Amino acid sequence: MPDGANKKTSRIQQRNRHLILDAALDVFSAHGYRGATLDQIAEAAGLSKPNILYYFSGKEEIHVTLLNRLMETWLDPLVEMDETGDPMTELMGYVHRKLDMARDLPRESRLFAGEILQGAPRMHPHLVADLKPLFDQKCAVIQGWVDAGKLAPVDPRHLIFSIWSTTQHYADFDVQVQVLSDNDPMEGARRYLDRLFRQVLSP
Amino acid sequence: MPDGANKKTSRIQQRNRHLILDAALDVFSAHGYRGATLDQIAEAAGLSKPNILYYFSGKEEIHVTLLNRLMETWLDPLVEMDETGDPMTELMGYVHRKLDMARDLPRESRLFAGEILQGAPRMHPHLVADLKPLFDQKCAVIQGWVDAGKLAPVDPRHLIFSIWSTTQHYADFDVQVQVLSDNDPMEGARRYLDRLFRQVLSP
DNA sequence: ACACTTTTTGACCAATTGGTAAAGACACGA
DNA sequence: TCGTGTCTTTACCAATTGGTCAAAAAGTGT
């Protein structure tokens, strides 16, 4: 019984759990929670449906597991923003890290976006318990930089919202971006966003 | 047979069609295409499920009808941007119109976002046929303004992407915004976005 | 080889869901 | 009031889907 974590997980357990979660990330991010089926996940993982349910108690547990793991990764770039560093450098570093994530982890971005879009039915507690404290703390840091005259007087909350939205846009709205772009948009995005935020933050 | 448009639509047809589409907009925008059920739409509309199917041939037709109607509304603010007007005024007007739409039509914004997020399975042709020509044309207009030295040298494509993402964020990620905001965020958003885009566009 | 545990599978279920058929209720002009 | 076409409902169906169960298969240590 792999559900109980009393025994150390075997090699095969680790492998199959990873297979399932990776397949589920594909399917959930492409079709949303309701749109995804266990059969799709099973096929993508190369396992049978009952075998999937041997490792996870149900569809919801797979989804929740993905969401929980995602939260860490997602908050990490913001955590890295250092209060003692140079304000402009720290914030521009954050922008670039977020853009890198949109490029390298589009499935995760879309999974998150889908969950929020539908009212965060499974992640609302996480938002309140994990995201909000970190968000408030970092907003205070930015406000401190503003008050010290090291940044232009911008509202930290909306600044962060705009960093999130502009960067994640390239992952979440990828189809649209592709239709409207002639060549690879990421290099242009990097240049444009660098300029956008540098301008608004310059004191 | 209301499907054939040979006879003029009766009073009751107009009313029920409108009821259904409004209910469907609620349900589809809240749960996505797969997550929405005809029963939910029927209940929200105050009609029976077979009665819904008397007015629309199926779930997909309702969704497609909503998407088609949405396209007009959605592109309208961009259409209004006038080549002969003052560049900064026109662009800032566009920003504010988009933000107004995020405030006043959040269901429409989420319906659109959900469709794009899942790869635009039903709207991809529309993107290519309707959105792209308009987008290219307006990009050319903005590029003209830039070349004339009336705007800072920004990439029009990424400029528009950033206007879309920052404004729609307040509708699509509303739950998150609400969790992280103390008071009503829209007034602050208006001030911040006005500053953000005015800064980056100033020559 | 043997006993024991872990993993995998095939067969099966109950609930949900998109959709249909046909009869009934209703509106309205003659 | 009657007849005709419009609208609505009741009863039903087939497919999908999340999930179960017992038995088979594959490991694993001795």
Side-chain angles (χ1 to χ4, degrees), chain A residues 98-163:
Chain A
K98 281 297 282 181
L99 191 58
D100 288 341
M101 284 187 54
R103 192 216 318 129
D104 300 332
L105 306 173
R107 297 181 304 171
E108 285 80 351
S109 187
R110 284 193 276 265
L111 182 73
F112 185 82
E115 171 70 8
I116 301 295
L117 193 64
Q118 312 214 332
R122 279 164 258 279
M123 228 173 52
H124 198 273
H126 271 298
L127 296 183
V128 178
D130 301 338
L131 178 58
K132 184 161 172 51
L134 178 65
F135 180 78
D136 286 340
Q137 182 216 323
K138 295 301 182 180
C139 279
V141 169
I142 296 173
Q143 189 62 54
W145 289 337
V146 169
D147 293 342
K150 308 210 172 176
L151 292 176
V154 295
D155 185 324
R157 287 182 162 74
H158 295 285
L159 170 66
I160 294 182
F161 289 160
S162 68
I163 293 174

Side-chain angles (χ1 to χ4, degrees), chain A residues 31 118 158 162 170 185 192, chain B residues 31 118 157-158 162 170 185 192:
Chain A
H31 306 291
Q118 312 214 332
H158 295 285
S162 68
Y170 291 94
Y192 171 77
Chain B
H31 307 291
Q118 312 213 332
R157 287 180 161 74
H158 295 286
S162 67
Y170 291 95
Y192 171 77

Side-chain angles (χ1 to χ4, degrees), chain B residues 35-50:
Chain B
T37 70
L38 284 178
D39 296 273
Q40 284 176 295
I41 296 173
E43 192 191 335
L47 299 172
S48 67
K49 183 168 66 173

Side-chain angles (χ1 to χ4, degrees), chain B residues 91-137:
Chain B
L91 275 166
M92 293 313 297
Y94 180 51
V95 170
H96 285 113
R97 283 195 296 277
K98 282 296 283 181
L99 190 59
D100 288 341
M101 284 188 52
R103 194 221 310 133
D104 300 332
L105 305 173
R107 298 181 304 169
E108 283 82 350
S109 187
R110 283 194 277 266
L111 182 72
F112 184 83
E115 171 69 9
I116 301 295
L117 194 63
Q118 312 213 332
R122 277 165 261 279
M123 227 172 54
H124 197 272
H126 271 299
L127 296 183
V128 178
D130 301 338
L131 177 59
K132 182 159 174 53
L134 179 66
F135 181 79
D136 286 341
Q137 183 217 322

